[in-house]
Amino acid sequence: MVSKAPLLRLLTAVNRRRMKLLVVIAFVAYVASAVWGNFVNMRSLQENGEQKIENKIEEAVAPLREKIRDLEKSFTQKYPPVKFLSEKDRKRILITGGAGFVGSHLTDKLMMDGHEVTVVDNFFTGRKRNVEHWIGHENFELINHDVVEPLYIEVDQIYHLASPASPPNYMYNPIKTLKTNTIGTLNMLGLAKRVGARLLLASTSEVYGDPEVHPQSEDYWGHVNPIGPRACYDEGKRVAETMCYAYMKQEGVEVRVARIFNTFGPRMHMNDGRVVSNFILQALQGEPLTVYGSGSQTRAFQYVSDLVNGLVALMNSNVSSPVNLGNPEEHTILEFAQLIKNLVGSGSEIQFLSEAQDDPQRRKPDIQKAKLMLGWEPVVPLEEGLNKAIHYFRKELEYQANNQYIPKPKPARIKKGRTRHN
Ligand SMILES: NC(=O)c1ccc[n+]([C@@H]2O[C@H](COP(=O)([O-])OP(=O)(O)OC[C@H]3O[C@@H](n4cnc5c(N)ncnc54)[C@H](O)[C@@H]3O)[C@@H](O)[C@H]2O)c1
């Protein structure tokens, strides 16, 4: 008989060893899993951290990337097509008031014709945005300067347009309007004399005042109240014309004088209280179109590209006496209101307000002289021009809405309660 005791002891010893082994294995497995878990946690923490850092870097870099893209764009900026002109034909042209409504369109035309253009503007009513598409072009220069101060540059032609043009703007500071039209014009004539340049003055139909003849031809001397609220502009332009002819006679300066009638188009001021801008804004904003009086007063509006062609034709002609530039097609104010309302597709009603004081009943240019001597006449149909202006105003309203500013149309006010159609 074999005794069981040694066998049991043997078995117990083997089990104990296995148990120990199992315990050791379990411990090692536990430690390994803990270490692995930590490792995985650390890894994901590290990955999260890396992600956060990457996000932060991206946040910081994104605007820089945007700026670099803008810079690259500006280096390779696409300008409107510009003709090549030989040295002989290329002129150095100064446009005072070139960042304004008419001046910026004139800048476009002369730049595209291949000339070197210097725009001088104090940005009273003008805007850099009107000429920003030329900034950086080798033929273009923009100078922030007030024409009331002397200017010393070398030029062949001067288009002198610097002056506020709408009643609220020129009545805002009548003394400054007078200085701009008198001292400013003297400074530009002095420059023309010094460098032998030809100067074109942007005069106005307002030199005829409240006319007693209809239509107005250049030999009409006008009917202006020298002490009225509009005199700073009307008389300012009249004396500017006088200065031109004094410089011509006394100093031999070549001058051209354009008497500009009402003009409209893109880049005109949205809220300067003139009839076209008022009606377009009111129609676009669904507000009543305000007509002063019965609306039977007539006005004639030319589209800005017609005016610009007329200015260039006059500058390059040999006509030194004043020339009317305007569109003789007359419409009543009521017709304008209805036409604009229809073109905009607006549901606005037409509201009649009491008649405005000093509101001329009729204004229409006689353009026989421009036709005969410049071969110029307006060609842009009214509806076509209005559609372009409406498109521009729509875009401007969107732009301003995005910039949190929506202007309300303001009627021009001469004095308390006095308004008129311009
Ligand atoms: N637009 C019209 O219907 C009309 C009609 C008749 C005459 N005009 C004449 O045409 C010219 C241009 O008119 P617009 O309609 O383009 O007006 P605008 O106000 O848009 O332009 C005039 C420009 O002259 C600048 N300016 C004003 N004072 C200045 C100063 N002291 N120094 C430098 N710059 C100055 C303004 O900042 C602006 O850019 C004006 O001389 C105006 O009298 C215009």
Side-chain angles (χ1 to χ4, degrees), residues 97-103 120-127 145-148 160-165 169 176 180 202-205 233 237 260-263 269 274:
F101 159 50
V102 176
V120 159
D121 207 296
N122 70 350
F123 302 107
F124 173 54
T125 50
R127 299 188 305 174
H145 178 86
D146 193 312
V147 293
V148 170
H160 180 37
L161 274 63
S163 165
N169 290 331
K176 181 66 199 231
T180 297
S203 185
T204 168
S205 57
Y233 182 69
K237 289 288 185 182
I260 302 170
F261 283 67
N262 284 337
T263 308
H269 305 281
R274 298 209 224 185

Side-chain angles (χ1 to χ4, degrees), residues 28-328:
V28 167
Y30 171 76
V31 169
S33 80
V35 168
W36 177 250
N38 276 350
F39 174 73
V40 169
N41 271 351
M42 273 169 64
R43 184 95 188 109
S44 79
L45 275 176
Q46 192 182 351
E47 274 172 7
N48 277 348
E50 276 170 8
Q51 188 62 44
K52 274 187 190 154
I53 291 169
E54 266 174 31
N55 287 349
K56 280 210 169 133
I57 292 174
E58 184 55 31
E59 262 172 41
V61 164
L64 292 177
R65 202 177 286 135
E66 194 78 3
K67 276 189 187 154
I68 290 170
R69 216 173 290 141
D70 285 351
L71 270 176
E72 279 172 352
K73 242 194 261 167
S74 73
F75 284 133
T76 55
Q77 190 180 341
K78 295 258 178 295
Y79 297 103
V82 168
K83 261 191 224 159
F84 174 77
L85 284 184
S86 66
E87 191 98 349
K88 175 172 74 68
D89 298 322
R90 192 166 63 236
K91 294 202 164 52
R92 298 160 305 169
I93 300 176
L94 165 64
I95 306 178
T96 72
F101 159 50
V102 176
S104 62
H105 287 280
L106 181 61
T107 300
D108 289 350
K109 158 101 180 123
L110 295 171
M111 282 294 296
M112 290 197 272
D113 283 352
H115 298 290
E116 288 172 23
V117 176
T118 300
V119 162
V120 159
D121 207 296
N122 70 350
F123 302 107
F124 173 54
T125 50
R127 299 188 305 174
K128 276 192 196 148
R129 268 183 74 208
N130 288 345
V131 289
E132 69 179 354
H133 48 286
W134 293 116
I135 289 174
H137 193 286
E138 59 182 323
N139 286 355
F140 180 76
E141 187 155 17
L142 176 62
I143 304 176
N144 185 342
H145 178 86
D146 193 312
V147 293
V148 170
E149 302 298 328
L151 179 72
Y152 301 95
I153 56 172
E154 296 298 319
V155 285
D156 305 308
Q157 292 186 339
I158 303 169
Y159 287 85
H160 180 37
L161 274 63
S163 165
S166 74
N169 290 331
Y170 64 65
M171 284 188 231
Y172 171 75
N173 185 344
I175 296 174
K176 181 66 199 231
T177 301
L178 277 167
K179 282 187 180 171
T180 297
N181 279 298
T182 54
I183 303 173
T185 303
L186 278 179
N187 281 334
M188 290 309 112
L189 283 163
L191 172 65
K193 178 188 153 194
R194 254 191 325 273
V195 298
R198 182 180 287 180
L199 180 141
L200 180 147
L201 171 73
S203 185
T204 168
S205 57
E206 299 289 336
V207 298
Y208 301 125
D210 196 357
E212 297 140 313
V213 299
H214 187 81
Q216 296 83 50
S217 62
E218 291 83 351
D219 49 15
Y220 176 53
W221 288 359
H223 181 224
V224 176
N225 174 2
I227 55 167
R230 303 165 72 95
C232 59
Y233 182 69
D234 301 3
E235 296 289 16
K237 289 288 185 182
R238 284 167 71 94
V239 77
E241 286 195 10
T242 311
M243 288 168 174
C244 285
Y245 293 109
Y247 265 77
M248 185 175 91
K249 284 180 196 123
Q250 195 176 320
E251 304 291 349
V253 172
E254 287 190 54
V255 297
R256 305 287 179 262
V257 173
R259 290 187 179 152
I260 302 170
F261 283 67
N262 284 337
T263 308
F264 74 97
R267 302 189 198 142
M268 70 191 299
H269 305 281
M270 299 247 293
N271 48 357
D272 67 1
R274 298 209 224 185
V275 65
V276 172
S277 44
N278 259 7
F279 285 165
I280 296 180
L281 261 191
Q282 289 168 333
L284 284 174
Q285 295 181 323
E287 294 182 359
L289 274 67
T290 46
V291 169
Y292 297 99
S294 65
S296 59
Q297 318 88 301
T298 64
R299 291 293 180 272
F301 288 99
Q302 72 182 325
Y303 187 66
V304 65
S305 61
D306 282 335
L307 170 62
V308 163
N309 289 336
L311 292 174
V312 174
L314 176 60
M315 173 64 105
N316 297 309
S317 73
N318 52 12
V319 185
S320 57
S321 54
V323 177
N324 285 343
L325 294 177
N327 192 329

